[in-house]
Each structure stands twice: as structure tokens, then as C-alpha cells.
Amino acid sequence: MTIVITGANRGIGHALHQLYKADGADVIGTRRDATDAPGWLTLDVRDPAQHQAMAESLADRHVSLLICNAGIYPDKGEKLDDGYDAALWADGFSTNVTGVFLTIQALLPNLRRNKAKVAIISSQMGSTTRAPGGSYIYRASKAAVLNLGRNLATDLTTDGIAVGVYHPGWVQTDMGGSTAEITVNEAAQGLKSRFDALSIETTGCFETWDGRPHAY
């Protein structure tokens, strides 16, 4: 089976890439610049032209699983009084929300061909039931992509495409920091199990890396 993972050159995306490779799957990873990385695809998820190029390069592939992992945390450390520049908002949403939509849209023919699965990496920080304050751009963008995923799940049901949204845990990555609760490999192993379990019967789910339903 062919699996496409966006933002697969580091962190959770890279760990997932390695896991599926070890299983013998045909894994296609994307990164912003794959010029010197044979076997990888160049994809800045903010760029519609690069989505078009990706779609053309994968036109004959039957994609079984698309993992929308690429994301940024642009407002870490920003202060309410004088931070959160408009450019940060634009970059956060174009990457974390629009980028996910454009990726799914570009690969719809491949996904429909195989009645595939789509896994969207969001965060518990996007849950509207948890509001501890701060990180407004990241929280708002992850809430938006959660909403996007649930609505796509509704629209793609007739195509047999299951869509799941996932909180990967607080992970020891560049984004999560060294004091985070779980390792990147623990997160990847747990997420892989969630993706395996995803089906048209559970489409629209919002789950944690270790299989617990998450409040919206």
C-alpha cells in the first residue's frame, strides 16, 4: 500500500515514516525542500502550485493512507499585550489549516481510488472544552483543523474515505520540548495503531495517541 506523510522529515512525521518503512510499506514523505533527498517529495503545504505538482507526480498511485502531519507552532512565547503579529496568524493558518485542506483536495483522486483513510494530526490544544489561555494562534488553528476534519468526514463518507483527527500527546520534539511526557517513538507507535483501527464506522473521530476519545 502507498502511504503519504506530510512533514515527514522530522519529529512525529519522521518516526511514522520509519515505522511504515520498517513494515515494508510504500511510504512517500514530503518536506519543504527535497532537492537533495532522493525518494522524497518537495511540498510546502502553503503553496497551491506545489500541491498541483505533487498530485501530478502521484497521479498513478493508489494511496491507502494520507497522514496530514505538517504543522507549525508560530506563537510560542508570544505575549498578549504586544505579540501575535498578523503575519504569524496568516502563517499559522495557511500551514495548519489551509495546508491540510489543499493536501487532501490535491490527492482526492488517489484516495477515492482506494477508499482510503485520512489521518489529521491536530492537538488537544484545539479542544474548545480546554481553555487554559495563551498560544492563541496554535490553539485556534488546531481547533479549525479539527472542525475541518469532522466536516470532511461527513462529505467523504459516500466515497468510502474515513477521516480521523488525532492528538499525538505531549511529545519530546522540537515543538514539544525535552520535558514532554512521551517520546516520539511512543507517539508514533500509538498513532499507527489508531490509524490501523480507523474505519468508515469511526470516521470523524477525535482521539488521543493512546486510543482515548477526546472531548471536542
Side-chain angles (χ1 to χ4, degrees), residues 12 16 120-124 165-171 181-197 206-214:
I12 296 168
L16 286 166
I120 298 172
I121 305 301
S122 181
S123 171
Q124 68 178 11
V165 185
Y166 301 93
H167 166 57
W170 184 20
V171 189
E181 294 175 342
I182 60 172
T183 67
V184 69
N185 286 328
E186 286 175 304
Q189 290 278 7
L191 289 169
K192 185 174 180 294
S193 295
R194 304 286 73 72
F195 306 159
D196 290 345
F206 181 30
E207 295 179 345
T208 63
W209 66 280
D210 53 354
R212 291 172 289 124
H214 202 296

